[in-house]
Amino acid sequence: MNVTVGGRTRHYRTVTFKAATNSVQLIEQRLLPHEFKIASTRDYRATALAITDMVVRGAGAIGATAAYGLAQGARAFRGGGLAKFRAHVGKVFQTLKEARPTAVDPVNAMLQVRREMRAGKTVAEQQALALAAAEEFANGDAAHCEAIGRHGVKLIRDGMRVLTHCNAGWLAFVDIGSATAPMYAAQAQGNKFHVFCDETRPRAQGASLTAWELAQQGVSHQVIADNAAGHLMQRGEIDLVIVGSDRTLGRTGEVANKIGTYTKAVLAARHKIPFYVAIPLSTIDWGMRRGRDIPIEERSEGEVLGAWGVVESSKAKGKGQKLGERAYVRIANPTSGARNPGFDLTPPELITGIITPAGIFKPRELWRNRRVLQSAAH
Amino acid sequence: MNVTVGGRTRHYRTVTFKAATNSVQLIEQRLLPHEFKIASTRDYRATALAITDMVVRGAGAIGATAAYGLAQGARAFRGGGLAKFRAHVGKVFQTLKEARPTAVDPVNAMLQVRREMRAGKTVAEQQALALAAAEEFANGDAAHCEAIGRHGVKLIRDGMRVLTHCNAGWLAFVDIGSATAPMYAAQAQGNKFHVFCDETRPRAQGASLTAWELAQQGVSHQVIADNAAGHLMQRGEIDLVIVGSDRTLGRTGEVANKIGTYTKAVLAARHKIPFYVAIPLSTIDWGMRRGRDIPIEERSEGEVLGAWGVVESSKAKGKGQKLGERAYVRIANPTSGARNPGFDLTPPELITGIITPAGIFKPRELWRNRRVLQSAAH
């Protein structure tokens, strides 16, 4: 999507590859929303580290980063025959896989690259095919998001007020995003609408990343505390909810997503507000039988007990606090602990529809349509 | 309640009066939870300023502060007859009233003091009666909270996990608190239970004040993000919810309280978890006919877009960020705005019971019992 830096507006993808320098180019997401910077990784180890350190995050975005990282590693190979090359690629694969051990997207993306590069008969051919396959993966991710937008755009009518939670935006993918895709498509059509971004504590991805994205695209929006959506719904000020999902169960239509999603679904159901989940097909889990079996990650207490931001003012006595610097502040009582579940599970009866690149489905219709959806996923 | 400072545990009220120095003693709530300090105001103007600047906050606490402030102002009067004294008291009253123009508690408290002091026949007598009346108001506030605890304690059975929102604790009153009263009573009985404190963004009174209170009393507790309660309820990890209220409508049983309360009530109803509201009788509004008529204060955007805390670590390059200082950090995208409704309204059908000093009532039973409740309020 577009980013305006120093008065100049340019299109950026979250992840791209520069063949001339064999480097992966990443939007440095840890600095957002306060600073826009492109990080460049010169070898696959640096790319793996960028995934580990969350320079890049989001299912589609880390998938594409790993795909590019594998191509980058393959292209850096010098001398030796195919056997040595294959061993080298295996090592690169392993390093990138271990960068975020619980994520499935990097592995799936790299498997796809490795499958396609094996058609090459020489090292050079395989190197070229690896890059082509990584580009194909990244383009595919963007195309899937675009298709989500095509299907979802009809939900956003003129004058609507749309709530979203966390960041299921283009920063989480290669471009366009999932929950944001219908919004960007509606904007491209000239529809007037307004977005409420849930702050999404504890990590505040809504206030920081989604708000930044929407601001860059010129979409009308406001940040709200996670506590405020219920009140706004009660007052008739929200017409539609669109969120993303980390994992959707194909068999049951249950949706695992950022903590707080379930709460918004419960509120939306009470107020008869349509609640949609926008997902690429790769996040549908066709095997798992019950949502309760999804392990809910318990994250660090520090996320709940404080927050990261940029210092804007301080109560320092004497020496002034340095303003404009990123800092973590402790908000909570210093002797208290916290619980911090990272995700929650929304049951299908609270979900109006699942917006996929292959169309919009009722959550309980996914399984019946699995043949279509599974073949469209590739 | 108890506070431990430097290894010594002592009982403190939120507000007290020192007759020898004619000063009001206040727990400096703006420094909590990071620092415990008693602020002393030497004249009524300083007391009014302490209310304005939120050294003290919470309905009962600012009521008692204004009552003491009126006595303080009356006692500072020197020379002149009763007419001059009355004019002086009128000025003191006005100054304290204007300290928080929308709050009703300071006005009600001061009216009570002024009524009682008028029995005095001389300036000296009225001065003495003013202080006695202020003490009576403060003692009454503490006694009401104690009675809430007596009635509410039976709700907290051994092993329960209790959710609370915002701070309806002793810091908001003279002592004991409203939502916390049943907890402190249960602890005094030796019951084992655990409290989840909603962080309560944007101002985080749950993470800071309630967590501090509970820690000081040694009550088992953890802070959670406002997003997490739904998930915990879904997993069967919350057995009871107790919150406070800023205003409860006697005619309808609707409850206005800190933003996010309504959301917790909706979630509790879905999970069939008892949802109680603990209130002193003075917060029941017997006149208003519809909750929708309660004006919902729209607070500053800055509260949502950032947070205050103590700097624990920073990403400063070169010169180090000074740690341990209070600072406001901007969390949200710098070019985004916010909506910030301060309160919301919970309908009676979501409320299991209202815990009052006169017993526990169904919200729709308040009106039928208004004679009893109105007479018990005084």
Side-chain angles (χ1 to χ4, degrees):
Chain A
M1 302 299 296
N2 289 335
V3 180
T4 304
V5 187
R8 279 187 54 211
T9 302
R10 243 195 70 186
H11 181 266
Y12 286 87
R13 282 185 167 186
T14 309
V15 194
T16 51
F17 192 79
K18 199 180 262 181
T21 54
N22 200 41
S23 62
V24 180
Q25 312 285 316
L26 299 163
I27 294 179
E28 183 24 304
Q29 299 199 29
R30 295 171 307 176
L31 300 180
L32 291 176
H34 307 290
E35 196 181 330
F36 180 77
K37 204 181 122 181
I38 302 296
S40 176
T41 59
R42 293 299 187 113
D43 69 40
Y44 74 89
R45 286 185 198 83
T47 304
L49 202 63
I51 294 173
T52 302
D53 292 350
M54 299 186 81
V55 172
V56 59
R57 31 65 61 191
I62 60 173
T65 304
Y68 282 131
L70 192 67
Q72 177 184 42
R75 295 176 86 231
F77 179 79
R78 292 281 173 272
L82 265 175
K84 275 195 174 163
F85 175 71
R86 206 163 290 161
H88 168 76
V89 169
K91 196 177 68 181
V92 174
F93 188 103
Q94 201 54 31
T95 303
L96 287 159
K97 180 182 165 180
E98 284 163 7
R100 282 281 289 278
T102 56
V104 294
D105 296 84
V107 174
N108 289 339
M110 289 192 294
L111 286 173
Q112 186 178 323
V113 170
R114 202 158 66 172
R115 209 163 39 234
E116 293 186 26
M117 67 191 276
R118 280 182 180 158
K121 291 193 175 62
T122 64
V123 168
E125 273 180 38
Q126 291 210 3
Q127 287 173 324
L129 284 172
L131 180 53
E135 292 287 9
E136 192 190 318
F137 180 89
N139 291 337
D141 185 80
H144 293 156
C145 289
E146 206 170 10
I148 290 170
R150 253 191 331 269
H151 293 293
V153 68
K154 60 174 171 284
L155 303 173
I156 304 180
R157 291 186 298 279
D158 238 33
M160 271 193 166
R161 288 128 330 156
V162 185
L163 174 72
T164 189
H165 190 70
C166 198
N167 178 255
W170 67 276
L171 291 167
F173 294 89
V174 172
D175 209 348
I176 301 162
S178 58
T180 50
M183 303 176 198
Y184 295 141
Q187 199 201 21
Q189 293 188 0
N191 285 13
K192 298 274 173 262
F193 59 98
H194 184 76
V195 180
F196 289 113
C197 305
D198 268 344
E199 174 183 27
T200 320
R201 282 281 292 157
R203 290 171 61 88
Q205 297 96 329
S208 55
L209 301 180
T210 304
W212 179 83
E213 276 196 18
L214 296 175
Q216 290 296 332
Q217 312 318 311
V219 174
S220 168
H221 71 285
Q222 282 169 309
V223 179
I224 58 172
D226 299 300
N227 282 318
H231 170 71
L232 293 178
M233 288 184 183
Q234 205 180 27
R235 295 275 161 135
E237 296 189 40
I238 291 174
D239 305 299
L240 175 67
V241 185
I242 310 180
V243 301
S245 165
D246 292 87
R247 184 166 1 178
T248 296
L249 298 204
R251 288 172 183 269
T252 64
E254 288 163 290
V255 165
N257 193 42
K258 185 65 57 195
I259 191 77
T261 303
Y262 169 62
T263 294
K264 298 306 141 74
V266 170
L267 288 166
R270 178 175 164 89
H271 293 283
K272 300 190 171 45
I273 296 166
F275 184 93
Y276 285 90
V277 182
I279 54 166
L281 296 166
S282 61
T283 61
I284 301 180
D285 181 332
W286 295 105
M288 193 172 267
R289 291 178 177 276
R290 311 185 317 163
R292 282 196 64 104
D293 296 339
I294 299 176
I296 301 291
E297 179 189 0
E298 182 75 24
R299 300 179 54 86
S300 83
E301 294 182 81
E303 288 183 356
V304 173
L305 300 171
W308 279 94
V310 158
V311 180
E312 284 201 347
S313 90
S314 84
K315 286 276 164 74
K317 297 155 198 153
K319 303 144 204 163
Q321 181 83 26
K322 255 194 88 84
L323 304 181
E325 283 170 357
R326 288 185 69 231
Y328 171 86
V329 293
R330 173 89 178 198
I331 296 167
N333 173 51
T335 60
S336 298
R339 277 290 298 278
N340 187 14
F343 301 90
D344 62 25
L345 199 68
T346 301
E349 67 268 22
L350 300 179
I351 299 165
T352 312
I354 313 261
I355 314 170
T356 78
I360 302 179
F361 297 86
K362 296 266 166 214
R364 288 202 177 95
E365 288 174 356
L366 292 175
W367 184 246
R368 198 187 313 147
N369 292 283
R370 63 190 178 280
R371 301 267 172 268
V372 178
L373 291 167
Q374 284 167 350
S375 67
H378 300 292
Chain B
M1 302 298 295
N2 289 336
V3 179
T4 304
V5 187
R8 279 187 55 213
T9 301
R10 243 195 70 187
H11 181 265
Y12 286 87
R13 281 185 168 186
T14 310
V15 193
T16 52
F17 192 79
K18 200 180 263 181
T21 55
N22 199 40
S23 61
V24 180
Q25 312 286 314
L26 299 163
I27 294 180
E28 181 29 303
Q29 299 199 29
R30 296 172 307 176
L31 299 181
L32 291 176
H34 307 291
E35 196 181 330
F36 179 77
K37 205 181 122 180
I38 303 295
S40 176
T41 59
R42 292 300 186 114
D43 69 40
Y44 75 89
R45 286 185 198 85
T47 304
L49 203 62
I51 294 174
T52 302
D53 293 349
M54 299 184 80
V55 172
V56 59
R57 32 64 63 190
I62 61 174
T65 304
Y68 282 131
L70 191 67
Q72 177 184 40
R75 296 176 87 232
F77 179 80
R78 292 280 171 273
L82 264 175
K84 273 194 176 165
F85 174 71
R86 205 164 288 161
H88 168 76
V89 170
K91 195 177 69 179
V92 175
F93 188 102
Q94 200 56 31
T95 303
L96 287 160
K97 180 182 166 181
E98 284 163 7
R100 283 282 288 278
T102 56
V104 294
D105 295 84
V107 175
N108 289 340
M110 290 192 293
L111 286 174
Q112 186 177 322
V113 171
R114 202 158 65 173
R115 209 161 40 232
E116 294 186 25
M117 67 192 277
R118 280 181 182 158
K121 292 193 175 60
T122 64
V123 168
E125 273 181 38
Q126 292 210 2
Q127 287 173 324
L129 284 172
L131 180 54
E135 292 286 8
E136 192 191 319
F137 180 89
N139 291 337
D141 186 81
H144 293 156
C145 289
E146 205 169 9
I148 290 172
R150 253 190 331 270
H151 293 292
V153 66
K154 59 174 174 283
L155 302 173
I156 304 182
R157 293 187 298 279
D158 237 33
M160 270 194 167
R161 289 130 328 157
V162 185
L163 175 71
T164 189
H165 191 70
C166 197
N167 178 256
W170 68 277
L171 291 167
F173 294 89
V174 172
D175 210 347
I176 301 162
S178 58
T180 50
M183 303 176 198
Y184 296 141
Q187 199 201 21
Q189 293 189 359
N191 285 14
K192 298 274 174 263
F193 60 99
H194 185 75
V195 180
F196 290 113
C197 305
D198 268 344
E199 175 183 25
T200 320
R201 283 281 290 157
R203 289 171 61 88
Q205 296 96 329
S208 55
L209 301 180
T210 305
W212 179 84
E213 275 196 19
L214 296 175
Q216 290 296 332
Q217 312 319 313
V219 173
S220 167
H221 71 284
Q222 284 169 307
V223 179
I224 58 172
D226 299 300
N227 282 318
H231 170 71
L232 293 177
M233 288 184 183
Q234 204 180 29
R235 295 275 163 134
E237 296 188 41
I238 291 174
D239 305 299
L240 175 66
V241 185
I242 310 179
V243 301
S245 165
D246 292 86
R247 185 170 356 181
T248 295
L249 297 204
R251 288 172 183 269
T252 65
E254 289 164 289
V255 166
N257 192 42
K258 185 65 57 196
I259 191 77
T261 302
Y262 168 63
T263 294
K264 297 307 140 72
V266 170
L267 287 167
R270 178 175 164 91
H271 294 283
K272 301 189 169 46
I273 297 166
F275 185 94
Y276 284 89
V277 182
I279 54 166
L281 295 166
S282 60
T283 62
I284 300 180
D285 181 333
W286 295 105
M288 193 172 269
R289 291 178 177 275
R290 310 186 315 162
R292 283 195 64 103
D293 295 339
I294 300 177
I296 301 291
E297 178 189 1
E298 181 75 24
R299 299 180 53 85
S300 82
E301 293 182 82
E303 288 183 355
V304 174
L305 300 172
W308 279 93
V310 158
V311 179
E312 283 202 346
S313 87
S314 84
K315 286 277 164 72
K317 295 155 198 152
K319 303 145 204 163
Q321 182 82 26
K322 256 194 89 86
L323 304 182
E325 284 171 355
R326 286 185 70 231
Y328 172 85
V329 294
R330 172 90 180 198
I331 295 167
N333 173 51
T335 60
S336 298
R339 277 289 299 280
N340 188 14
F343 300 91
D344 61 26
L345 199 68
T346 300
E349 68 267 23
L350 300 179
I351 299 165
T352 312
I354 313 261
I355 315 169
T356 78
I360 303 179
F361 297 86
K362 296 268 167 212
R364 288 203 177 92
E365 288 173 356
L366 293 176
W367 185 246
R368 197 186 316 147
N369 293 284
R370 63 190 179 279
R371 302 267 171 269
V372 179
L373 292 168
Q374 284 167 349
S375 67
H378 299 292

